[in-house]
């Protein structure tokens, strides 16, 4: 079964400093990986996705992630945090259901706090 | 215009009651999903429908019954509500035919069972 592990449940940074949210995956085949963001009391929004094209993936709001097969990692980064980045971030891997359809397997989430 | 909408946004009810949550998408997608997010923010898929056909059914109690009257709607009916059903339920949709596509999520329905 596919799985993702988000290595930090909470990350706190100062505004203007870099952001690093760590994610490791476990997959028996070449995975598709996503990062979703959830702002307080809101639904989830896709930040970026990796689907076996370029290993460095650029997303919205200045975020990017690098797929590293040798390290089974898909860490999310941003050069300079903004107050509006404070949210819950989910690393997600796809898994084939018994019927052959893709389903999303979510990590436990990382809460990002941004301080002035 | 809202792409994926859910009603109601909040639902407070007593144990043992039966309730429904509705979801509609205006994106023209062929696949819709229900997810449950527990109090620790853990998200897990419950069901998925493709063109009104059930394609994913995780090990969810049979008190939960999804229904898709058409491609744009996926409703969730819950019988005999229990305290453990308290959670946020998210609907999502995507275009799955031809490959993996992005899932678009609704704003969530916050269910509290007393």
């Amino acid at each position: 079964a596919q799985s993702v592990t988000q290595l930090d449940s909470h990350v706190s940074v100062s505004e203007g400093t870099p952001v690093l949210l760590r994610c490791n995956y476990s997959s028996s085949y070449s995975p598709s990986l996503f990062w979703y963001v959830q702002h307080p009391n809101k639904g989830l929004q896709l930040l970026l996705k990796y689907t076996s094209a370029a290993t460095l993936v650029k997303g919205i709001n200045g975020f990017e992630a690098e797929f590293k097969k040798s390290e089974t990692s898909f860490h999310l980064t941003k050069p300079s945090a903004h107050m509006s980045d404070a949210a819950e971030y989910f690393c997600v891997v796809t898994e084939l259901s018994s019927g052959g359809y893709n389903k999303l397997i979510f990590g436990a989430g990382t809460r990002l706090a941004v301080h002035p | 215009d809202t792409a994926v909408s859910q009603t109601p946004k909040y639902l407070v009810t007593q144990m043992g009651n039966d309730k429904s949550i509705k979801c509609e998408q205006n994106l023209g997608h062929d696949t819709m999903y229900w997810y449950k997010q527990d109090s620790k923010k853990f998200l897990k898929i419950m069901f998925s429908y493709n063109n009104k056909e059930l394609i994913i059914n995780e090990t969810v109690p049979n008190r939960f019954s999804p229904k898709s009257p058409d491609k744009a709607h996926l409703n969730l009916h819950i019988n005999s509500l229990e305290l453990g059903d308290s959670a946020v339920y998210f609907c999502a949709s995507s275009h799955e035919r031809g490959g993996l596509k992005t899932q678009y999520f609704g704003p969530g329905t916050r269910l509290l069972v007393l």
Side-chain angles (χ1 to χ4, degrees), chain A residues 99-110:
Chain A
Y101 290 91
N102 283 298
K103 60 181 182 180
L104 301 184
I105 306 298
F106 284 79
T110 297

Side-chain angles (χ1 to χ4, degrees), chain A residues 32 34 36 38 41-44 46 49 51 88 90 94 97 101-104 106-108 111, chain B residues 33 35 37 40-43 45 50 55-56 58 90 96-97 100-103 105-107 110:
Chain A
S32 292
F34 306 77
Y36 277 85
Q38 183 179 24
N41 298 315
K42 300 283 187 185
L44 285 90
L46 180 72
K49 63 181 177 182
T51 54
E88 191 89 21
F90 294 95
T94 56
S97 68
Y101 290 91
N102 283 298
K103 60 181 182 180
L104 301 184
F106 284 79
R111 177 159 293 180
Chain B
Y33 311 80
Y35 290 85
Q37 185 175 43
K40 296 183 178 179
K41 299 283 188 180
F42 183 65
L43 264 157
I45 189 167
N50 177 270
I55 58 171
I56 294 175
E58 295 296 289
F90 287 100
E96 285 301 308
R97 289 296 185 196
L100 180 63
K101 298 291 190 256
T102 300
Q103 292 189 20
F105 284 77
R110 283 148 186 83

Side-chain angles (χ1 to χ4, degrees), chain B residues 61-78:
Chain B
N62 57 15
R63 298 182 296 104
F64 290 77
S65 51
K67 185 168 285 188
S68 182
D70 55 59
K71 273 196 329 180
H73 295 84
L74 179 62
N75 303 324
L76 183 65
H77 187 75
I78 315 170

